[in-house]
Amino acid sequence: VYKRQVIHRRWALLLDSGLIFIRDIAAGSGRHRLEQIWRIGPDFRIQALAPGVVSFATEDGDQLDCVSPQGPVWAREIFESDWSPRYGARQSAPVVQFVAETEAPCERALALRPGRVGAARQAALELLEDGRGEDLSVYRFDDEGFNLTLCFHDKAGAWSFGQVKSDARLLAWEHGKTGSRLLAASASFLEIGGERVFQDAAAIERFEWDARTGADATAAGAAKTAKTSILEELGPELTPAHSERHA
């Protein structure tokens, strides 16, 4: 039952806010036991534990939150394991492991939120749409005063989710205390609420918009003609909370 081949693919995003978002895809078929293992530095110890969030802290006041989507398929395990800083030396370090016995293809994501002990936090990561590494997957990360929506499209062509239509392979919408930002990667158009934000004859490698600095793109014409007033009117949610996706 476990002999069918599985191919692992990984997305890793580092945001200016310091948030690290990692998305793992197990492409293939058949039923498999899958493990996602995160080894934490030996100076960290568990500070707080909640459904979907485990927080680690050091004696110096550094904090690391591991935030994952909740659900019945993946089980979370936390334990101590040996870590070797050099040959012949061993230290005990915490490990966070997610385990599932499930059908491929499938995917699993984790958000790592570094910071300082004492900062107000109530983080959550939700999988709004599960494309299982083959279609459209949408994630939403929420923290105190910070919101992030990520749309991944794993095949060519247009997609829609709520008020958003695009053919972007990756669409990221970030909203925080310092303003809003948008990133579209490998996209020829973006439409929100029936209005075109930008459009180009071919897919643009990168289109970015920042509320403080404006639009920028690998195709200069797309940035100049972009209707960014649409983005200026958006709040934390790029899409309604209960959006319906239409292929």
Side-chain angles (χ1 to χ4, degrees), residues 155-232:
K155 65 180 183 180
W159 53 267
S160 65
F161 186 82
Q163 297 182 19
V164 181
K165 292 183 179 180
S166 184
D167 59 354
R169 296 298 300 273
L170 167 66
L171 183 68
W173 173 252
E174 180 182 330
H175 185 87
K177 296 178 180 178
T178 57
S180 301
R181 300 181 65 187
L182 179 133
L183 167 67
S186 299
S188 65
F189 78 96
L190 172 63
E191 180 180 305
I192 299 178
E195 296 187 78
R196 285 290 168 106
V197 177
F198 73 85
Q199 185 170 7
D200 203 72
I204 301 171
E205 180 181 346
R206 173 188 56 83
F207 177 92
E208 290 186 77
W209 174 83
D210 189 305
R212 297 164 296 180
T213 59
D216 183 42
T218 50
K224 290 180 180 179
T225 60
K227 193 174 181 180
T228 57
S229 58
I230 301 170
L231 303 176
E232 294 169 1

Side-chain angles (χ1 to χ4, degrees), residues 19 50 62 84-85 91 107 109 134 136 179 184 186 205 233 235 238 245:
L19 181 74
D62 292 322
S84 178
Q91 291 180 261
E107 64 181 81
E134 291 191 323
L136 178 68
S186 299
E205 180 181 346
E233 297 172 358
L238 179 59
R245 172 181 166 265

Side-chain angles (χ1 to χ4, degrees), residues 42-229:
D43 294 336
F44 284 90
R45 291 295 180 264
I46 292 180
Q47 183 192 44
L49 186 63
V53 184
V54 54
S55 297
F56 296 91
T58 67
E59 293 182 356
D60 293 334
D62 292 322
Q63 182 171 321
L64 179 67
D65 299 332
C66 300
V67 190
S68 59
Q70 298 184 54
V73 177
W74 291 83
R76 183 183 67 184
E77 302 172 357
I78 304 169
F79 55 90
E80 294 281 324
S81 181
D82 286 340
W83 176 80
S84 178
R86 61 186 180 278
Y87 181 77
R90 288 185 180 182
Q91 291 180 261
S92 181
V95 175
V96 181
Q97 176 175 279
F98 299 93
V99 180
E101 294 217 14
T102 186
E103 297 288 330
C106 65
E107 64 181 81
R108 180 68 180 175
L110 182 80
L112 300 174
R113 181 76 153 165
R116 296 291 294 173
V117 172
R121 297 181 179 207
Q122 195 171 2
L125 179 62
E126 184 179 3
L127 176 58
L128 301 178
E129 181 75 17
D130 188 358
R132 302 185 69 87
E134 291 191 323
D135 203 333
L136 178 68
S137 293
V138 182
Y139 291 87
R140 180 172 172 80
F141 178 86
D142 292 291
D143 201 354
E144 296 288 340
F146 178 83
N147 311 94
L148 173 68
T149 301
L150 292 168
C151 303
F152 298 90
H153 197 226
D154 295 298
K155 65 180 183 180
W159 53 267
S160 65
F161 186 82
Q163 297 182 19
V164 181
K165 292 183 179 180
S166 184
D167 59 354
R169 296 298 300 273
L170 167 66
L171 183 68
W173 173 252
E174 180 182 330
H175 185 87
K177 296 178 180 178
T178 57
S180 301
R181 300 181 65 187
L182 179 133
L183 167 67
S186 299
S188 65
F189 78 96
L190 172 63
E191 180 180 305
I192 299 178
E195 296 187 78
R196 285 290 168 106
V197 177
F198 73 85
Q199 185 170 7
D200 203 72
I204 301 171
E205 180 181 346
R206 173 188 56 83
F207 177 92
E208 290 186 77
W209 174 83
D210 189 305
R212 297 164 296 180
T213 59
D216 183 42
T218 50
K224 290 180 180 179
T225 60
K227 193 174 181 180
T228 57
S229 58

